[in-house]
Amino acid sequence: MNEQFNIETKCIQSGWKPKKGEPRILPIYQSTTFKYDTSEQMGRLFDLEDSGYFYTRLQNPTNDAVAEKICDLEGGYAAMLTSSGQAANFYAVMNIAEEGDHIVCSSALYGGTYNLYAHTIRKMGVEATFVDPDCTEEELNAAFRDNTKAVVGETIANPALTVLDIEKFARVAHEHGVPLIVDNTFATPINCRPFEWGADIVTHSTTKYMDGHAMTVGGAIVDSGNFDWEAHAEKFPGLTKPDETYHGIVYTRNFGKGAYITKATAQLMRDLGSIQAPQNAFLLNVGLETLHLRVPRHCENAKKVASYLKGHKKVAWVNCAMLEGDKYHDLAAKYMPNGTCGVITFGLKGGRDVAVKMMDSLKLAAIVTHVSDARTCVLHPASHTHRQMNDQELLEAGVQPDLIRFSVGIENADDIIADLEQALALV
Ligand SMILES: *Cc1c(COP(=O)(O)O)cnc(C)c1O
């Protein structure tokens, strides 16, 4: 950790630290395996008695350097990369929940994460209760059960753009003896560091702003090291009781604050294998080096575009928490005083059909299943990412059927606005 550096410096300097004569740039360790001199040395690695590389599914030096950078940016204790944001959100929960357990989730989630928690992990025996992100503390309390193991939410939900009251969710989670897991993909650690507000674990789809160039799908999990698993040992036997697949080691006893990430690596990554390719980690690292330059520009452009849309007579509504009067303006000002993200949403008068016609007329903004990269792009969640949801589920996830998700890039804002202007003139 480099506590002494500011976040801009961490974007550049954290992670790979070459020693004398080593490459200045993070090398891609394009190797599945690592060599040892004796079988005794190798055996100790398999027993988690020594740390060291032996097989890339478990750990790889390129990936570890990039995970360390993300860990530093979030102010965490330990981190790991995963093949995708989906894998990160899956592992983050399944590392502490098992068959018969329960989690509490904000209903405003990325569509893929909603499916994962509402349907897929349910088939594995873990049930989720969804709560409105704006619920009262009483409503949130009422969602807990004896077998609840975690609370989950998104700093800025994709695409609902609700802002999570992290302090409130963390406080209630802690009152029930469970951690708060926050997906910080949209805010990025440049704009918000959930650990500073009491969150315990942060996840990322690094596919979005962290990569920033739409090159590589990836994910990350960061642990603050702050949650006291031992204080709730009965709830978290996976961390506090012997692991027979490693000769009875106890993660909290052997690894202290590193228990959660070590377990996720040693068990889930070992058995499920959703690793990030070292090549992808290398590209992700290049993206991270400019995260602190790109994110403020995304926000500045998004605010300009949102203001323009707000003043347009064909626009019915606009969501952008950076605008005065937005429902989440106050929460955003508290948690993200420097800006939220480049993604905004809006609806047009005339609804769904007009929205589709306008989108089809855009020239600079491309229709792609993506958000949060350098290029401006646009999507209609009800007919794309969230098309598996019925109207009721859509509304609960904060996605109106006419909602257009507009991911403002880092081009010149005037050109983005001119593109919208010509497309809006045609509807
Ligand atoms: C995209 C996204 C995910 C899923 O990430 P992938 O990298 O596409 O698997 C999870 N959470 C949020 C908030 C996202 O935007």
Side-chain angles (χ1 to χ4, degrees), residues 160-205:
L161 303 186
T162 54
V163 175
L164 191 73
D165 190 343
I166 302 173
E167 272 192 320
K168 179 172 90 183
F169 274 70
R171 184 171 61 244
V172 175
H174 295 161
E175 277 164 17
H176 291 269
V178 303
L180 174 65
I181 302 173
V182 172
D183 181 331
N184 198 33
T185 298
F186 267 21
T188 84
I190 301 299
N191 283 342
C192 180
R193 288 167 303 282
F195 296 153
E196 294 173 1
W197 303 99
D200 302 285
I201 290 147
V202 158
T203 60
H204 280 282
S205 166

mmCIF file of all heavy atoms in Angstrom, residues 160-205:
data_model
loop_
_atom_site.group_PDB
_atom_site.id
_atom_site.type_symbol
_atom_site.label_atom_id
_atom_site.label_comp_id
_atom_site.label_asym_id
_atom_site.label_seq_id
_atom_site.Cartn_x
_atom_site.Cartn_y
_atom_site.Cartn_z
ATOM 1 N N ALA A 160 -30.118 2.394 -13.463
ATOM 2 C CA ALA A 160 -31.108 3.226 -12.765
ATOM 3 C C ALA A 160 -30.510 4.548 -12.275
ATOM 4 O O ALA A 160 -31.222 5.527 -12.090
ATOM 5 C CB ALA A 160 -31.702 2.460 -11.590
ATOM 6 N N LEU A 161 -29.180 4.581 -12.083
ATOM 7 C CA LEU A 161 -28.463 5.772 -11.606
ATOM 8 C C LEU A 161 -28.912 6.226 -10.215
ATOM 9 O O LEU A 161 -28.742 7.390 -9.851
ATOM 10 C CB LEU A 161 -28.543 6.928 -12.619
ATOM 11 C CG LEU A 161 -28.015 6.632 -14.028
ATOM 12 C CD1 LEU A 161 -28.033 7.907 -14.871
ATOM 13 C CD2 LEU A 161 -26.590 6.070 -13.986
ATOM 14 N N THR A 162 -29.494 5.312 -9.447
ATOM 15 C CA THR A 162 -29.754 5.602 -8.043
ATOM 16 C C THR A 162 -28.402 5.652 -7.336
ATOM 17 O O THR A 162 -27.460 4.947 -7.729
ATOM 18 C CB THR A 162 -30.600 4.498 -7.400
ATOM 19 O OG1 THR A 162 -29.943 3.244 -7.621
ATOM 20 C CG2 THR A 162 -31.987 4.415 -8.010
ATOM 21 N N VAL A 163 -28.299 6.472 -6.308
ATOM 22 C CA VAL A 163 -27.060 6.556 -5.524
ATOM 23 C C VAL A 163 -27.309 5.865 -4.186
ATOM 24 O O VAL A 163 -28.285 6.162 -3.498
ATOM 25 C CB VAL A 163 -26.625 8.024 -5.327
ATOM 26 C CG1 VAL A 163 -25.413 8.105 -4.403
ATOM 27 C CG2 VAL A 163 -26.306 8.660 -6.680
ATOM 28 N N LEU A 164 -26.443 4.926 -3.863
ATOM 29 C CA LEU A 164 -26.617 4.153 -2.627
ATOM 30 C C LEU A 164 -26.186 4.989 -1.415
ATOM 31 O O LEU A 164 -25.106 5.581 -1.425
ATOM 32 C CB LEU A 164 -25.762 2.881 -2.705
ATOM 33 C CG LEU A 164 -26.009 1.831 -1.627
ATOM 34 C CD1 LEU A 164 -27.338 1.120 -1.863
ATOM 35 C CD2 LEU A 164 -24.880 0.807 -1.592
ATOM 36 N N ASP A 165 -27.022 4.991 -0.388
ATOM 37 C CA ASP A 165 -26.627 5.649 0.862
ATOM 38 C C ASP A 165 -25.721 4.658 1.611
ATOM 39 O O ASP A 165 -26.158 3.875 2.443
ATOM 40 C CB ASP A 165 -27.872 6.012 1.680
ATOM 41 C CG ASP A 165 -27.518 6.913 2.854
ATOM 42 O OD1 ASP A 165 -26.326 6.987 3.223
ATOM 43 O OD2 ASP A 165 -28.439 7.542 3.402
ATOM 44 N N ILE A 166 -24.433 4.698 1.252
ATOM 45 C CA ILE A 166 -23.496 3.670 1.708
ATOM 46 C C ILE A 166 -23.418 3.617 3.233
ATOM 47 O O ILE A 166 -23.444 2.536 3.823
ATOM 48 C CB ILE A 166 -22.086 3.897 1.099
ATOM 49 C CG1 ILE A 166 -22.165 3.891 -0.438
ATOM 50 C CG2 ILE A 166 -21.101 2.826 1.576
ATOM 51 C CD1 ILE A 166 -20.873 4.275 -1.128
ATOM 52 N N GLU A 167 -23.369 4.787 3.869
ATOM 53 C CA GLU A 167 -23.269 4.804 5.338
ATOM 54 C C GLU A 167 -24.452 4.105 5.991
ATOM 55 O O GLU A 167 -24.290 3.339 6.942
ATOM 56 C CB GLU A 167 -23.203 6.254 5.852
ATOM 57 C CG GLU A 167 -21.796 6.786 5.906
ATOM 58 C CD GLU A 167 -21.714 8.086 6.688
ATOM 59 O OE1 GLU A 167 -22.620 8.937 6.563
ATOM 60 O OE2 GLU A 167 -20.723 8.263 7.406
ATOM 61 N N LYS A 168 -25.643 4.381 5.475
ATOM 62 C CA LYS A 168 -26.847 3.772 6.048
ATOM 63 C C LYS A 168 -26.846 2.249 5.846
ATOM 64 O O LYS A 168 -27.080 1.488 6.791
ATOM 65 C CB LYS A 168 -28.101 4.382 5.399
ATOM 66 C CG LYS A 168 -29.397 3.778 5.919
ATOM 67 C CD LYS A 168 -30.607 4.539 5.411
ATOM 68 C CE LYS A 168 -31.102 3.964 4.100
ATOM 69 N NZ LYS A 168 -32.241 4.719 3.551
ATOM 70 N N PHE A 169 -26.547 1.824 4.624
ATOM 71 C CA PHE A 169 -26.533 0.388 4.342
ATOM 72 C C PHE A 169 -25.453 -0.325 5.159
ATOM 73 O O PHE A 169 -25.652 -1.438 5.640
ATOM 74 C CB PHE A 169 -26.375 0.122 2.835
ATOM 75 C CG PHE A 169 -27.686 0.129 2.089
ATOM 76 C CD1 PHE A 169 -28.393 1.312 1.901
ATOM 77 C CD2 PHE A 169 -28.228 -1.049 1.594
ATOM 78 C CE1 PHE A 169 -29.615 1.322 1.227
ATOM 79 C CE2 PHE A 169 -29.451 -1.060 0.929
ATOM 80 C CZ PHE A 169 -30.149 0.137 0.735
ATOM 81 N N ALA A 170 -24.302 0.335 5.323
ATOM 82 C CA ALA A 170 -23.209 -0.278 6.087
ATOM 83 C C ALA A 170 -23.598 -0.403 7.555
ATOM 84 O O ALA A 170 -23.373 -1.445 8.188
ATOM 85 C CB ALA A 170 -21.932 0.554 5.940
ATOM 86 N N ARG A 171 -24.203 0.651 8.086
ATOM 87 C CA ARG A 171 -24.585 0.633 9.500
ATOM 88 C C ARG A 171 -25.565 -0.499 9.781
ATOM 89 O O ARG A 171 -25.391 -1.281 10.726
ATOM 90 C CB ARG A 171 -25.190 1.992 9.883
ATOM 91 C CG ARG A 171 -25.552 2.127 11.355
ATOM 92 C CD ARG A 171 -25.932 3.552 11.725
ATOM 93 N NE ARG A 171 -27.097 4.013 10.987
ATOM 94 C CZ ARG A 171 -27.098 5.019 10.119
ATOM 95 N NH1 ARG A 171 -25.975 5.665 9.860
ATOM 96 N NH2 ARG A 171 -28.189 5.382 9.484
ATOM 97 N N VAL A 172 -26.601 -0.619 8.935
ATOM 98 C CA VAL A 172 -27.603 -1.662 9.159
ATOM 99 C C VAL A 172 -26.979 -3.053 8.959
ATOM 100 O O VAL A 172 -27.213 -3.967 9.757
ATOM 101 C CB VAL A 172 -28.832 -1.449 8.246
ATOM 102 C CG1 VAL A 172 -29.812 -2.604 8.390
ATOM 103 C CG2 VAL A 172 -29.511 -0.121 8.594
ATOM 104 N N ALA A 173 -26.161 -3.201 7.939
ATOM 105 C CA ALA A 173 -25.492 -4.496 7.725
ATOM 106 C C ALA A 173 -24.699 -4.881 8.971
ATOM 107 O O ALA A 173 -24.783 -6.013 9.458
ATOM 108 C CB ALA A 173 -24.568 -4.425 6.505
ATOM 109 N N HIS A 174 -23.955 -3.922 9.499
ATOM 110 C CA HIS A 174 -23.098 -4.213 10.657
ATOM 111 C C HIS A 174 -23.925 -4.522 11.910
ATOM 112 O O HIS A 174 -23.526 -5.346 12.720
ATOM 113 C CB HIS A 174 -22.119 -3.057 10.901
ATOM 114 C CG HIS A 174 -21.155 -2.898 9.764
ATOM 115 N ND1 HIS A 174 -20.437 -1.751 9.545
ATOM 116 C CD2 HIS A 174 -20.803 -3.752 8.761
ATOM 117 C CE1 HIS A 174 -19.676 -1.899 8.462
ATOM 118 N NE2 HIS A 174 -19.895 -3.110 7.964
ATOM 119 N N GLU A 175 -25.081 -3.848 12.051
ATOM 120 C CA GLU A 175 -25.960 -4.155 13.188
ATOM 121 C C GLU A 175 -26.410 -5.617 13.145
ATOM 122 O O GLU A 175 -26.679 -6.219 14.180
ATOM 123 C CB GLU A 175 -27.197 -3.238 13.171
ATOM 124 C CG GLU A 175 -26.927 -1.870 13.797
ATOM 125 C CD GLU A 175 -27.994 -0.843 13.441
ATOM 126 O OE1 GLU A 175 -29.100 -1.240 12.987
ATOM 127 O OE2 GLU A 175 -27.717 0.352 13.612
ATOM 128 N N HIS A 176 -26.500 -6.165 11.919
ATOM 129 C CA HIS A 176 -26.905 -7.562 11.768
ATOM 130 C C HIS A 176 -25.697 -8.502 11.653
ATOM 131 O O HIS A 176 -25.862 -9.680 11.337
ATOM 132 C CB HIS A 176 -27.821 -7.708 10.558
ATOM 133 C CG HIS A 176 -29.166 -7.053 10.756
ATOM 134 N ND1 HIS A 176 -30.246 -7.722 11.276
ATOM 135 C CD2 HIS A 176 -29.577 -5.779 10.545
ATOM 136 C CE1 HIS A 176 -31.281 -6.897 11.350
ATOM 137 N NE2 HIS A 176 -30.900 -5.709 10.914
ATOM 138 N N GLY A 177 -24.502 -7.968 11.859
ATOM 139 C CA GLY A 177 -23.306 -8.808 11.860
ATOM 140 C C GLY A 177 -22.886 -9.346 10.500
ATOM 141 O O GLY A 177 -22.285 -10.412 10.403
ATOM 142 N N VAL A 178 -23.202 -8.579 9.436
ATOM 143 C CA VAL A 178 -22.790 -9.018 8.094
ATOM 144 C C VAL A 178 -22.112 -7.867 7.358
ATOM 145 O O VAL A 178 -22.321 -6.698 7.681
ATOM 146 C CB VAL A 178 -23.989 -9.557 7.270
ATOM 147 C CG1 VAL A 178 -24.683 -10.700 8.003
ATOM 148 C CG2 VAL A 178 -24.972 -8.453 6.915
ATOM 149 N N PRO A 179 -21.294 -8.172 6.347
ATOM 150 C CA PRO A 179 -20.592 -7.132 5.599
ATOM 151 C C PRO A 179 -21.469 -6.490 4.524
ATOM 152 O O PRO A 179 -22.419 -7.102 4.037
ATOM 153 C CB PRO A 179 -19.434 -7.893 4.954
ATOM 154 C CG PRO A 179 -19.952 -9.283 4.764
ATOM 155 C CD PRO A 179 -20.884 -9.533 5.920
ATOM 156 N N LEU A 180 -21.094 -5.271 4.143
ATOM 157 C CA LEU A 180 -21.697 -4.609 2.984
ATOM 158 C C LEU A 180 -20.754 -4.745 1.796
ATOM 159 O O LEU A 180 -19.578 -4.378 1.877
ATOM 160 C CB LEU A 180 -21.951 -3.118 3.278
ATOM 161 C CG LEU A 180 -22.440 -2.301 2.066
ATOM 162 C CD1 LEU A 180 -23.816 -2.771 1.589
ATOM 163 C CD2 LEU A 180 -22.477 -0.803 2.392
ATOM 164 N N ILE A 181 -21.304 -5.287 0.711
ATOM 165 C CA ILE A 181 -20.548 -5.436 -0.541
ATOM 166 C C ILE A 181 -21.064 -4.377 -1.514
ATOM 167 O O ILE A 181 -22.267 -4.306 -1.770
ATOM 168 C CB ILE A 181 -20.760 -6.838 -1.156
ATOM 169 C CG1 ILE A 181 -20.339 -7.930 -0.166
ATOM 170 C CG2 ILE A 181 -20.021 -6.961 -2.486
ATOM 171 C CD1 ILE A 181 -20.665 -9.354 -0.628
ATOM 172 N N VAL A 182 -20.167 -3.542 -2.032
ATOM 173 C CA VAL A 182 -20.585 -2.470 -2.944
ATOM 174 C C VAL A 182 -19.901 -2.635 -4.298
ATOM 175 O O VAL A 182 -18.678 -2.739 -4.379
ATOM 176 C CB VAL A 182 -20.258 -1.079 -2.349
ATOM 177 C CG1 VAL A 182 -20.515 0.015 -3.368
ATOM 178 C CG2 VAL A 182 -21.096 -0.828 -1.098
ATOM 179 N N ASP A 183 -20.720 -2.654 -5.346
ATOM 180 C CA ASP A 183 -20.204 -2.659 -6.708
ATOM 181 C C ASP A 183 -19.937 -1.205 -7.086
ATOM 182 O O ASP A 183 -20.858 -0.409 -7.229
ATOM 183 C CB ASP A 183 -21.250 -3.306 -7.637
ATOM 184 C CG ASP A 183 -20.784 -3.388 -9.087
ATOM 185 O OD1 ASP A 183 -19.991 -2.526 -9.504
ATOM 186 O OD2 ASP A 183 -21.244 -4.311 -9.802
ATOM 187 N N ASN A 184 -18.658 -0.872 -7.211
ATOM 188 C CA ASN A 184 -18.237 0.526 -7.397
ATOM 189 C C ASN A 184 -17.853 0.829 -8.843
ATOM 190 O O ASN A 184 -17.081 1.747 -9.118
ATOM 191 C CB ASN A 184 -17.055 0.815 -6.447
ATOM 192 C CG ASN A 184 -16.822 2.300 -6.227
ATOM 193 O OD1 ASN A 184 -17.764 3.085 -6.227
ATOM 194 N ND2 ASN A 184 -15.569 2.682 -6.050
ATOM 195 N N THR A 185 -18.393 0.024 -9.773
ATOM 196 C CA THR A 185 -18.020 0.124 -11.190
ATOM 197 C C THR A 185 -18.205 1.521 -11.769
ATOM 198 O O THR A 185 -17.308 2.058 -12.415
ATOM 199 C CB THR A 185 -18.861 -0.869 -12.008
ATOM 200 O OG1 THR A 185 -18.563 -2.199 -11.572
ATOM 201 C CG2 THR A 185 -18.576 -0.766 -13.489
ATOM 202 N N PHE A 186 -19.381 2.122 -11.568
ATOM 203 C CA PHE A 186 -19.681 3.395 -12.246
ATOM 204 C C PHE A 186 -18.940 4.572 -11.610
ATOM 205 O O PHE A 186 -18.508 5.474 -12.311
ATOM 206 C CB PHE A 186 -21.198 3.645 -12.249
ATOM 207 C CG PHE A 186 -21.884 3.140 -13.491
ATOM 208 C CD1 PHE A 186 -21.309 2.163 -14.290
ATOM 209 C CD2 PHE A 186 -23.129 3.646 -13.871
ATOM 210 C CE1 PHE A 186 -21.955 1.706 -15.439
ATOM 211 C CE2 PHE A 186 -23.775 3.201 -15.019
ATOM 212 C CZ PHE A 186 -23.192 2.231 -15.807
ATOM 213 N N ALA A 187 -18.836 4.584 -10.292
ATOM 214 C CA ALA A 187 -18.196 5.728 -9.636
ATOM 215 C C ALA A 187 -16.681 5.674 -9.821
ATOM 216 O O ALA A 187 -16.038 6.707 -9.995
ATOM 217 C CB ALA A 187 -18.544 5.736 -8.156
ATOM 218 N N THR A 188 -16.129 4.477 -9.798
ATOM 219 C CA THR A 188 -14.683 4.234 -9.772
ATOM 220 C C THR A 188 -14.077 4.848 -8.494
ATOM 221 O O THR A 188 -14.628 5.807 -7.953
ATOM 222 C CB THR A 188 -13.892 4.783 -10.993
ATOM 223 O OG1 THR A 188 -13.588 6.163 -10.793
ATOM 224 C CG2 THR A 188 -14.598 4.554 -12.312
ATOM 225 N N PRO A 189 -12.932 4.336 -8.064
ATOM 226 C CA PRO A 189 -12.331 4.921 -6.855
ATOM 227 C C PRO A 189 -11.895 6.369 -7.037
ATOM 228 O O PRO A 189 -11.598 7.058 -6.051
ATOM 229 C CB PRO A 189 -11.127 4.009 -6.572
ATOM 230 C CG PRO A 189 -10.915 3.199 -7.800
ATOM 231 C CD PRO A 189 -12.226 3.139 -8.522
ATOM 232 N N ILE A 190 -11.879 6.858 -8.272
ATOM 233 C CA ILE A 190 -11.553 8.277 -8.478
ATOM 234 C C ILE A 190 -12.627 9.153 -7.843
ATOM 235 O O ILE A 190 -12.326 10.175 -7.223
ATOM 236 C CB ILE A 190 -11.428 8.608 -9.994
ATOM 237 C CG1 ILE A 190 -10.344 7.750 -10.651
ATOM 238 C CG2 ILE A 190 -11.196 10.098 -10.223
ATOM 239 C CD1 ILE A 190 -8.961 7.927 -10.100
ATOM 240 N N ASN A 191 -13.888 8.739 -7.997
ATOM 241 C CA ASN A 191 -14.989 9.571 -7.485
ATOM 242 C C ASN A 191 -15.531 9.127 -6.131
ATOM 243 O O ASN A 191 -16.104 9.934 -5.416
ATOM 244 C CB ASN A 191 -16.132 9.620 -8.500
ATOM 245 C CG ASN A 191 -15.821 10.555 -9.650
ATOM 246 O OD1 ASN A 191 -14.935 11.399 -9.538
ATOM 247 N ND2 ASN A 191 -16.524 10.410 -10.743
ATOM 248 N N CYS A 192 -15.399 7.841 -5.802
ATOM 249 C CA CYS A 192 -15.922 7.370 -4.516
ATOM 250 C C CYS A 192 -15.128 6.168 -4.038
ATOM 251 O O CYS A 192 -14.833 5.266 -4.818
ATOM 252 C CB CYS A 192 -17.398 6.963 -4.678
ATOM 253 S SG CYS A 192 -18.149 6.366 -3.136
ATOM 254 N N ARG A 193 -14.781 6.179 -2.770
ATOM 255 C CA ARG A 193 -14.114 5.028 -2.173
ATOM 256 C C ARG A 193 -15.009 4.509 -1.053
ATOM 257 O O ARG A 193 -14.973 5.015 0.085
ATOM 258 C CB ARG A 193 -12.707 5.407 -1.693
ATOM 259 C CG ARG A 193 -11.751 5.610 -2.890
ATOM 260 C CD ARG A 193 -10.474 6.274 -2.525
ATOM 261 N NE ARG A 193 -10.689 7.555 -1.900
ATOM 262 C CZ ARG A 193 -11.007 8.684 -2.539
ATOM 263 N NH1 ARG A 193 -11.128 8.703 -3.849
ATOM 264 N NH2 ARG A 193 -11.202 9.801 -1.865
ATOM 265 N N PRO A 194 -15.847 3.502 -1.377
ATOM 266 C CA PRO A 194 -16.876 3.031 -0.431
ATOM 267 C C PRO A 194 -16.325 2.625 0.937
ATOM 268 O O PRO A 194 -17.037 2.728 1.933
ATOM 269 C CB PRO A 194 -17.492 1.832 -1.164
ATOM 270 C CG PRO A 194 -17.288 2.153 -2.615
ATOM 271 C CD PRO A 194 -15.945 2.815 -2.674
ATOM 272 N N PHE A 195 -15.051 2.188 1.004
ATOM 273 C CA PHE A 195 -14.498 1.793 2.319
ATOM 274 C C PHE A 195 -14.493 2.981 3.281
ATOM 275 O O PHE A 195 -14.612 2.815 4.492
ATOM 276 C CB PHE A 195 -13.070 1.248 2.194
ATOM 277 C CG PHE A 195 -12.962 -0.022 1.400
ATOM 278 C CD1 PHE A 195 -11.784 -0.337 0.727
ATOM 279 C CD2 PHE A 195 -14.022 -0.917 1.311
ATOM 280 C CE1 PHE A 195 -11.664 -1.509 -0.005
ATOM 281 C CE2 PHE A 195 -13.921 -2.091 0.573
ATOM 282 C CZ PHE A 195 -12.734 -2.383 -0.092
ATOM 283 N N GLU A 196 -14.320 4.197 2.739
ATOM 284 C CA GLU A 196 -14.283 5.383 3.607
ATOM 285 C C GLU A 196 -15.639 5.642 4.256
ATOM 286 O O GLU A 196 -15.740 6.411 5.206
ATOM 287 C CB GLU A 196 -13.842 6.615 2.803
ATOM 288 C CG GLU A 196 -12.400 6.488 2.325
ATOM 289 C CD GLU A 196 -11.969 7.611 1.381
ATOM 290 O OE1 GLU A 196 -12.786 8.527 1.101
ATOM 291 O OE2 GLU A 196 -10.814 7.554 0.908
ATOM 292 N N TRP A 197 -16.689 4.999 3.720
ATOM 293 C CA TRP A 197 -18.045 5.184 4.247
ATOM 294 C C TRP A 197 -18.561 3.935 4.937
ATOM 295 O O TRP A 197 -19.752 3.825 5.211
ATOM 296 C CB TRP A 197 -18.982 5.595 3.107
ATOM 297 C CG TRP A 197 -18.532 6.832 2.401
ATOM 298 C CD1 TRP A 197 -17.852 6.904 1.217
ATOM 299 C CD2 TRP A 197 -18.699 8.186 2.840
ATOM 300 N NE1 TRP A 197 -17.595 8.208 0.892
ATOM 301 C CE2 TRP A 197 -18.098 9.019 1.867
ATOM 302 C CE3 TRP A 197 -19.299 8.771 3.964
ATOM 303 C CZ2 TRP A 197 -18.089 10.407 1.986
ATOM 304 C CZ3 TRP A 197 -19.290 10.154 4.065
ATOM 305 C CH2 TRP A 197 -18.683 10.958 3.084
ATOM 306 N N GLY A 198 -17.704 2.947 5.161
ATOM 307 C CA GLY A 198 -18.111 1.790 5.948
ATOM 308 C C GLY A 198 -18.347 0.510 5.171
ATOM 309 O O GLY A 198 -18.605 -0.530 5.775
ATOM 310 N N ALA A 199 -18.288 0.547 3.838
ATOM 311 C CA ALA A 199 -18.428 -0.698 3.071
ATOM 312 C C ALA A 199 -17.251 -1.612 3.417
ATOM 313 O O ALA A 199 -16.171 -1.143 3.796
ATOM 314 C CB ALA A 199 -18.459 -0.409 1.576
ATOM 315 N N ASP A 200 -17.465 -2.925 3.274
ATOM 316 C CA ASP A 200 -16.421 -3.886 3.657
ATOM 317 C C ASP A 200 -15.713 -4.496 2.456
ATOM 318 O O ASP A 200 -14.524 -4.794 2.515
ATOM 319 C CB ASP A 200 -17.060 -4.999 4.499
ATOM 320 C CG ASP A 200 -17.738 -4.421 5.720
ATOM 321 O OD1 ASP A 200 -17.014 -4.036 6.656
ATOM 322 O OD2 ASP A 200 -18.982 -4.291 5.726
ATOM 323 N N ILE A 201 -16.489 -4.716 1.400
ATOM 324 C CA ILE A 201 -15.938 -5.354 0.201
ATOM 325 C C ILE A 201 -16.423 -4.569 -1.006
ATOM 326 O O ILE A 201 -17.575 -4.122 -1.043
ATOM 327 C CB ILE A 201 -16.403 -6.826 0.135
ATOM 328 C CG1 ILE A 201 -15.701 -7.627 1.244
ATOM 329 C CG2 ILE A 201 -16.098 -7.450 -1.232
ATOM 330 C CD1 ILE A 201 -16.513 -8.726 1.804
ATOM 331 N N VAL A 202 -15.528 -4.351 -1.966
ATOM 332 C CA VAL A 202 -15.887 -3.622 -3.188
ATOM 333 C C VAL A 202 -15.660 -4.543 -4.378
ATOM 334 O O VAL A 202 -14.678 -5.295 -4.413
ATOM 335 C CB VAL A 202 -15.045 -2.326 -3.303
ATOM 336 C CG1 VAL A 202 -14.982 -1.841 -4.738
ATOM 337 C CG2 VAL A 202 -15.611 -1.236 -2.394
ATOM 338 N N THR A 203 -16.594 -4.493 -5.331
ATOM 339 C CA THR A 203 -16.399 -5.246 -6.576
ATOM 340 C C THR A 203 -16.377 -4.263 -7.738
ATOM 341 O O THR A 203 -16.865 -3.141 -7.630
ATOM 342 C CB THR A 203 -17.527 -6.272 -6.810
ATOM 343 O OG1 THR A 203 -18.777 -5.570 -6.898
ATOM 344 C CG2 THR A 203 -17.585 -7.298 -5.698
ATOM 345 N N HIS A 204 -15.808 -4.733 -8.844
ATOM 346 C CA HIS A 204 -15.751 -3.925 -10.065
ATOM 347 C C HIS A 204 -15.964 -4.773 -11.290
ATOM 348 O O HIS A 204 -15.462 -5.898 -11.369
ATOM 349 C CB HIS A 204 -14.372 -3.262 -10.222
ATOM 350 C CG HIS A 204 -14.198 -2.035 -9.402
ATOM 351 N ND1 HIS A 204 -14.731 -0.833 -9.775
ATOM 352 C CD2 HIS A 204 -13.581 -1.837 -8.214
ATOM 353 C CE1 HIS A 204 -14.436 0.071 -8.853
ATOM 354 N NE2 HIS A 204 -13.738 -0.510 -7.891
ATOM 355 N N SER A 205 -16.682 -4.199 -12.245
ATOM 356 C CA SER A 205 -16.542 -4.645 -13.621
ATOM 357 C C SER A 205 -15.457 -3.741 -14.179
ATOM 358 O O SER A 205 -15.708 -2.567 -14.467
ATOM 359 C CB SER A 205 -17.853 -4.469 -14.389
ATOM 360 O OG SER A 205 -17.581 -4.613 -15.767
#
